Amino acid sequence: MTASTPRRVRVRAPELVGKGGWLNTGDQQYTLADLRGRIVVLDFWTFCCINCLHVLDELRELERRHSDTVVVVGVHSPKFVHEAEHAAVADAVERYGVEHPVLDDPELATWKQYAVRAWPTLVVIDPEGYVVAQHAGEGHVHAIERLVTELEAEHGAKGTLRRGDGPYVAPEPEPTTLRFPGRALVLPSGNFLVSDTTRHQLVELEPDGETVVRRIGAGARGFEDGTADTAAFSEPQGLALLDEGSVVVADTVNHALRRLDLATGEVTTLAGTGRQWWQGSPTAGPAREIDLSSPWDVAVFGDKVWIAMAGVHQLWACDPADKTVAVTAGTTNEGLVDGPGAEAWFAQPSGLAATADRLWLADSETSALRWVDLDGVVHTAVGTGLFDFGHRDGSAEQALLQHPLGVTALPDGSVAVSDTYNHALRRYDPATGEVTTLATDLREPSDAVLVGEDIVVVESARHRLTRLRLPEEAVKVDSVAHRTQRAATEVAPGKLRLDVIFQAPAGQKLDTRYGPSTRLLVSSTPPGLLLAGEGADTDLSRTLELNPEIEEGVLHISAMAASCDTASDSGSAAGPANEYPACHVHQQDWGVPVRLSVEGTDRLPLVLAGMDDQTP
């Protein structure tokens, strides 16, 4: 280590343990000792989480540039019961193009050993097997890459760095017509248009749902306008008819809306810049100049294209006439709160369906079916919050779904819900307030469309469209209710010290040019859990007061910090300051389940970036 390199806190890394074993390694099982000499980045993720999917995309360039020194290991740590199924994890690894080893940890053993509290969390382990950094949330890869560069130099000089090929082994491709399709649309011709998500294409099929008419898109991840053969998408999802001759496409990983001309196959960009929206970015303006964040579905409601903006837990709308976009509902806080659009909270809205007087939406992370009325007020039909889910029919007040991704308006005024993680098609009838099950034995249904008296379901994990006759009677199923496997944190009633740990990465400082560079927002479910400490402030530490009369609940904590580069590109401490320093936003939302106990802790540390120096 050179004299100019600051001494780095190091903690011996716990072993990597997961009952599900390893994926993307050619069936080879690994320990940390096998990875000694490499810089290891652990990515604690779960495949339902949009923020985790963002981080997968952030990591791609880091993996490419440092392929001979860095090994990224995805530690899959499930939230939902379905995510603990090994086959579902294997599907997700292929679906999202994960090109590094993945440890399947269904019992959260490694999650607990590393004291992780949030999806996603990144942990950096040096070539000697010590943890040297931890980051929660998105936007940290720039800091991790700088640390990687330092570790390469430090351990290269010490002789403890081992270069070479990593343990990743690509799986064999499967020759199916569709691969993890996301959405389907019935075209005016009677054909189907399907978003073939994993292959980054749109596919037009004949009415039989099997015969390929044409493919739109080059078939490789990219962001290019052009002809059917040259245009490029990145994991497209939602589809909606703009008019008889064109379709709007939610191009999810490109953070854009695209327009397909059905006659010519020409693809153009309708909204978005290709960059991901971050806190502080504009929320309204010319459609091609405003950043979006993982648009997952689209629907024409009124005279606008409404967007399920999964990446920021909001609904937006695009006006094709004046070519503008704007937020219509949601605060960016993650949770389930009804009311006027400006006050409502969503959690990864993923499916939309419009009727004359309602916009229905599948709010996946709260396992909820919700709707927006003509006045823009948000209501919940089914669902209670972030941590309750299952498969239970009956009255809507007690019915349960599990991470639904799609919703379909039915002719009688009811709606069908693609109840994705229950592998079922469900029905909610507003007239009776009852939830029933229409079909089971589907495999991760993500959408459904009506064709006459039939309903055609997108069975995403079976890579096909499945035609069903709409049943006159509901299917009977055994009721089951779940809560997330993530253990609640035992906290003492009364005063609780909340510390969000943020240490600006090396070569950066807090960006105070335009005022405070940090923000902390705290609330709770139920609201009465907090007697004091709720609301927003700029200090990342705060004393909360918990109501001793409430046994358990969820603390909703949102933190943001902005930092800017300070040193010259040379990295020398003596170099001149950057004239135009690059600035970075670090942010994370935590939903922390807590249980009040006299033996519980009186301090809750949450690492945004850095290491908690008060950890025993």
Side-chain angles (χ1 to χ4, degrees):
M1 187 184 301
T2 64
S4 61
T5 303
R7 183 170 180 80
R8 194 177 292 113
V9 176
R10 302 198 308 170
V11 177
R12 175 64 72 178
E15 188 52 82
L16 303 179
V17 179
K19 189 175 181 181
W22 290 77
L23 294 162
N24 279 357
T25 62
D27 296 325
Q28 179 74 35
Q29 305 299 299
Y30 282 90
T31 66
L32 273 178
D34 299 323
L35 303 176
R36 195 64 48 80
R38 309 300 291 273
I39 300 163
V40 178
V41 179
L42 302 182
D43 176 19
F44 289 88
W45 70 299
T46 188
F47 63 78
C48 71
C49 164
I50 191 66
N51 310 93
C52 299
L53 303 186
H54 290 166
V55 168
L56 285 177
D57 291 311
E58 290 178 2
L59 287 169
R60 294 185 200 279
E61 192 62 23
L62 172 74
E63 294 177 270
R64 185 188 67 80
R65 284 199 290 259
H66 300 270
S67 60
D68 64 337
T69 59
V70 171
V71 174
V72 175
V73 174
V75 183
H76 189 268
S77 313
K79 171 185 174 181
F80 290 97
V81 169
H82 171 59
E83 293 175 310
E85 297 176 15
H86 183 74
V89 179
D91 282 347
V93 167
E94 181 187 350
R95 181 195 303 268
Y96 297 116
V98 179
E99 296 182 350
H100 53 245
V102 172
L103 175 65
D104 181 13
D105 182 19
E107 296 176 346
L108 301 179
T110 298
W111 164 286
K112 293 170 185 173
Q113 284 296 308
Y114 281 82
V116 175
R117 294 182 182 271
W119 296 279
T121 291
L122 297 170
V123 175
V124 181
I125 301 172
D126 73 12
E128 295 178 292
Y130 288 88
V131 174
V132 292
Q134 181 171 331
H135 303 264
E138 305 175 48
H140 300 293
V141 171
H142 62 89
I144 289 174
E145 181 155 27
R146 182 164 188 143
L147 175 57
V148 163
T149 302
E150 293 176 359
L151 291 172
E152 287 172 339
E154 176 184 335
H155 289 272
K158 291 174 64 176
T160 50
L161 182 69
R162 177 167 56 89
R163 294 179 179 269
D165 293 334
Y168 170 67
V169 177
E172 289 293 322
E174 296 287 342
T176 53
T177 301
L178 303 172
R179 204 68 192 161
F180 298 104
R183 305 284 160 170
L185 177 68
V186 180
L187 299 175
S189 65
N191 288 348
F192 293 101
L193 186 67
V194 181
S195 53
D196 197 15
T197 303
T198 297
R199 293 200 177 121
H200 315 295
Q201 289 181 317
L202 309 179
V203 180
E204 185 175 346
L205 302 173
E206 292 185 1
D208 63 8
E210 297 178 1
T211 306
V212 176
V213 176
R214 60 176 171 169
R215 292 182 179 271
I216 297 146
R221 190 187 298 274
F223 187 22
E224 295 289 338
D225 289 345
T227 66
D229 293 331
T230 62
F233 301 93
S234 189
E235 298 182 26
Q237 288 282 350
L239 306 167
L241 275 174
L242 272 177
D243 49 50
E244 289 294 300
S246 63
V247 172
V248 60
V249 182
D251 194 5
T252 304
V253 177
N254 279 329
H255 311 294
L257 300 188
R258 316 292 290 282
R259 179 186 180 275
L260 167 66
D261 187 304
L262 291 171
T264 66
E266 190 81 13
V267 175
T268 53
T269 298
L270 185 66
T273 63
R275 297 184 300 270
Q276 184 183 340
W277 187 95
W278 289 95
Q279 290 286 352
S281 301
T283 56
R288 292 291 305 273
E289 299 175 16
I290 301 297
D291 299 339
L292 308 181
S293 183
S294 297
W296 205 274
D297 202 7
V298 283
V300 178
F301 182 52
D303 57 354
K304 293 183 174 63
V305 177
W306 284 61
I307 310 163
M309 202 72 78
V312 285
H313 317 299
Q314 290 180 312
L315 299 179
W316 289 43
C318 175
D319 188 333
D322 64 12
K323 299 180 180 179
T324 59
V325 292
V327 175
T328 53
T331 64
T332 75
N333 295 319
E334 185 178 13
L336 193 153
V337 177
D338 290 340
E343 301 172 11
W345 290 24
F346 300 99
Q348 213 167 299
S350 300
L352 299 175
T355 64
D357 60 351
R358 292 187 182 187
L359 179 70
W360 293 96
L361 68 110
D363 202 29
S364 62
E365 279 295 286
T366 53
S367 297
L369 172 66
R370 306 177 74 184
W371 54 281
V372 183
D373 64 26
L374 292 174
D375 295 323
V377 177
V378 179
H379 310 260
T380 297
V382 182
T384 58
L386 286 166
F387 299 105
D388 296 299
F389 54 90
H391 192 157
R392 187 164 64 198
D393 288 337
S395 65
E397 291 80 9
Q398 55 85 52
L400 294 172
L401 309 170
Q402 187 180 179
H403 197 79
L405 288 178
V407 58
T408 307
L410 300 179
D412 63 357
S414 65
V415 291
V417 179
S418 295
D419 193 6
T420 309
Y421 288 3
N422 280 326
H423 311 299
L425 191 67
R426 312 286 293 281
R427 175 177 178 265
Y428 168 70
D429 186 351
T432 63
E434 291 289 308
V435 175
T436 52
T437 297
L438 296 176
T440 57
D441 193 30
L442 302 168
R443 186 67 185 171
E444 292 194 16
S446 55
D447 194 20
V449 292
L450 287 173
V451 181
E453 296 182 355
D454 295 341
I455 190 164
V456 176
V457 180
V458 179
E459 275 198 274
S460 188
R462 285 197 177 118
H463 320 292
R464 71 188 187 191
L465 304 186
T466 299
R467 186 181 293 260
L468 306 171
R469 179 58 55 94
L470 274 173
E472 294 182 7
E473 294 186 2
V475 176
K476 299 297 183 184
V477 298
D478 293 330
S479 295
V480 60
H482 299 293
R483 296 208 83 200
T484 179
Q485 295 185 45
R486 178 183 173 188
T489 300
E490 300 277 344
V491 296
K495 295 189 183 303
L496 175 69
R497 182 67 177 178
L498 171 64
D499 289 326
V500 174
I501 290 94
F502 177 76
Q503 295 156 3
Q508 296 179 27
K509 65 177 182 179
L510 290 175
D511 179 13
T512 57
R513 292 173 299 165
Y514 307 108
S517 60
T518 56
R519 180 176 180 270
L520 178 63
L521 176 66
V522 180
S523 63
S524 67
T525 303
L529 175 63
L530 279 178
L531 297 177
E534 189 172 14
D537 203 345
T538 58
D539 194 340
L540 292 181
S541 292
R542 186 181 305 179
T543 298
L544 312 179
E545 186 174 353
L546 304 179
N547 188 343
E549 297 182 2
I550 295 180
E551 294 183 357
E552 61 180 14
V554 179
L555 293 176
H556 303 282
I557 300 156
S558 178
M560 185 274 290
S563 62
C564 283
D565 295 343
T566 57
S568 66
D569 291 339
S570 67
S572 167
N578 286 336
E579 185 177 359
Y580 303 106
C583 294
H584 314 277
V585 175
H586 317 254
Q587 63 183 54
Q588 171 63 14
D589 294 331
W590 290 269
V592 182
V594 295
R595 183 176 298 112
L596 273 63
S597 165
V598 293
E599 299 177 351
T601 182
D602 61 0
R603 178 176 180 262
L604 178 62
L606 300 174
V607 175
L608 179 60
M611 302 281 281
D612 179 16
D613 57 14
Q614 294 187 42
T615 300

